[in-house]
Amino acid sequence: AIDDGVVTLTPANETKEAMALWGTYASILRNLITGVTEGYEKKLEIEGVGYRAEASGNKLTLNVGFSHPVVMEVPEGLSAAVEKNEITIGGIDKHAVGQFAANVRKVKKPEPYKGKGIRYQGEYIIRKQGKKAV
């Protein structure tokens, strides 16, 4: 129900499933409203010598140590911008932004020895010791 600009959700009946979905639908609706008013964005950092990204039109090109550049198509409704070693993915759909950011990160996950790869901004990578010379 919408009254005076306030959206109110109520479950159709008192079953366990209806009560569980009540909160789910409220959260989805809240995310839709926030997405349209403010928008969502995820920031990814690229770390590694020679690793870089480039955004042009609806294509995101990643050079992350492979023998070929990885070209990804930015889904409709999302935007991708690159500044130095930071990729910013933005849009109004929280799920689509998070999914595309996860797909970009999946191209080259951060490795535990030197930390090279693509990571979310603020993500902490647990480092490993590596081999020791005896």
Side-chain angles (χ1 to χ4, degrees), residues 14 19 31 43-44 106:
E14 296 291 319
M19 299 304 278
N31 288 340
K43 293 183 184 265
L44 297 143
K106 192 166 64 172

Side-chain angles (χ1 to χ4, degrees), residues 55-78:
S56 59
N58 66 340
K59 300 243 188 262
L60 182 65
T61 307
L62 302 169
N63 294 314
V64 286
F66 299 124
S67 61
H68 60 307
V70 178
V71 179
M72 301 183 80
E73 184 129 354
V74 179
E76 195 163 326
L78 299 183

